[in-house]
Amino acid sequence: MFTIFADTHINFMSKRRLFYGVSIAAILIGVVSIIAHGGLRMGIDFAGGRLIELRLSERLSVQEVRSLAGQAGFPTAEIQAVRESNDVLIRIPLDPADETQGVSVSDRLRTAITSQHPGLTAELLREESIGAKIGGEIARQAFWAILISLGLLLIYIGFRFEPRFALGAVIAVAHDVFFILAYFSIFNKEITMPVVAALLTVAGYSINDTIVVFDRVREQLVRLRREPFERVLDISINQTLSRTIITGTTTLLASLSLAIWGGEVIHDFAVAMSVGIIVGTYSSIFVATALALELRHAAEAKAKA
């Protein structure tokens, strides 16, 4: 069986405060970004609006398409060019007055574009429309889905291991979810339903990584009962390090392939997954396990007091 890092003796726990600083700094950057942007940028799934994708026979600049959308009566439209193609994504805030005289929004946009560029064709690939009320309901459901999943993970790990392990693992998962949201805020990317699906998938992936480490810790606590708890954690992490790195790398390669070649529809999901896999692998060692150690120290100090 192929292994890497087969016989390592890294003192992970002695470096935990350094990585606390890394995580706190990244979280603060994410918070500042979210505040600076006035909150997360929600896609039409949550905010409501129209999403129209057109395939142009000639490439037009984003600025030119935005100008043409303004001439069609949509000055607030957001334009995004699809990578390596002539396709454009046009997002328009929902307004019932947009549908006038039986002419759809997509037809008005296509007419505005083709009238200014004779010979150019604009094929409608998709048109989606979601009301603000429905979008708000979807946002609430997504929030509760994430919150309930964290609660269930807390119960499951608390039952299978110890409460201190459960708390460390759930904080690590919340840490991973926030990292993804911060990444999307920093790069001003939309939060859509595929991104929420990625958040829930990353939660499961991250907790699986953490459980592998915790399982080994439980085994070593029996075998090395005379060793300090910090030493047991280091031994357990080193023993599972090869599995963690190989699993993370292979999953990351798959998600990066989807992000690069999977097309626009699945791109944000794949990007969120890629970020989550990296952060989840990191947090299973330097957040979940390290917090279990801190909670153990706190319990021992309380017992002595």
Side-chain angles (χ1 to χ4, degrees), residues 51-65:
L51 173 65
I52 297 168
E53 183 173 4
L54 300 177
R55 173 161 294 166
L56 308 179
S57 57
E58 300 175 15
R59 177 178 288 274
L60 298 180
S61 67
V62 169
Q63 293 77 10
E64 188 168 6
V65 176

Side-chain angles (χ1 to χ4, degrees), residues 13 16 229-230 233 288-298:
M13 292 300 100
R16 66 187 186 278
F229 187 59
E230 182 173 338
L233 293 179
T289 312
L291 286 176
L293 175 61
E294 301 293 355
L295 292 169
R296 174 74 170 252
H297 285 170

Side-chain angles (χ1 to χ4, degrees), residues 242-294:
S242 178
R243 180 262 178 206
T244 299
I245 297 298
I246 291 174
T247 302
T249 302
T250 53
T251 313
L252 180 62
L253 290 174
S255 62
L256 285 176
S257 298
L258 286 175
I260 297 170
W261 297 294
E264 203 65 29
V265 174
I266 203 171
H267 177 74
D268 287 346
F269 172 85
V271 168
M273 279 295 300
S274 300
V275 175
I277 289 165
I278 295 170
V279 178
T281 302
Y282 156 86
S283 70
S284 65
I285 298 173
F286 293 109
V287 179
T289 312
L291 286 176
L293 175 61
E294 301 293 355

Side-chain angles (χ1 to χ4, degrees), residues 148-167:
I148 291 171
S149 69
L150 292 177
L152 292 174
L153 290 173
L154 181 65
I155 295 170
Y156 168 71
I157 299 176
F159 176 77
R160 182 170 175 179
F161 298 98
E162 298 177 25
R164 68 173 65 94
F165 285 162
L167 188 57

Side-chain angles (χ1 to χ4, degrees), residues 19 21 63 71 91 102 118 120 135 144 159 189 219 228 235 280 282 292:
F19 289 95
Q63 293 77 10
Q71 293 176 27
R91 294 174 174 85
L120 183 146
W144 281 109
F159 176 77
K189 297 171 71 67
E219 293 172 5
I235 291 172
Y282 156 86

Side-chain angles (χ1 to χ4, degrees), residues 25 29 34 105 115 128 155 216 233 246 248 286:
I29 292 171
I34 291 171
V105 172
S115 64
E128 302 172 6
I155 295 170
R216 187 57 58 91
L233 293 179
I246 291 174
F286 293 109

Side-chain angles (χ1 to χ4, degrees), residues 11-34:
N11 296 323
F12 289 100
M13 292 300 100
S14 66
K15 302 174 177 61
R16 66 187 186 278
R17 289 183 175 83
L18 169 64
F19 289 95
Y20 289 161
V22 172
S23 291
I24 291 170
I27 288 170
L28 288 176
I29 292 171
V31 170
V32 170
S33 174
I34 291 171

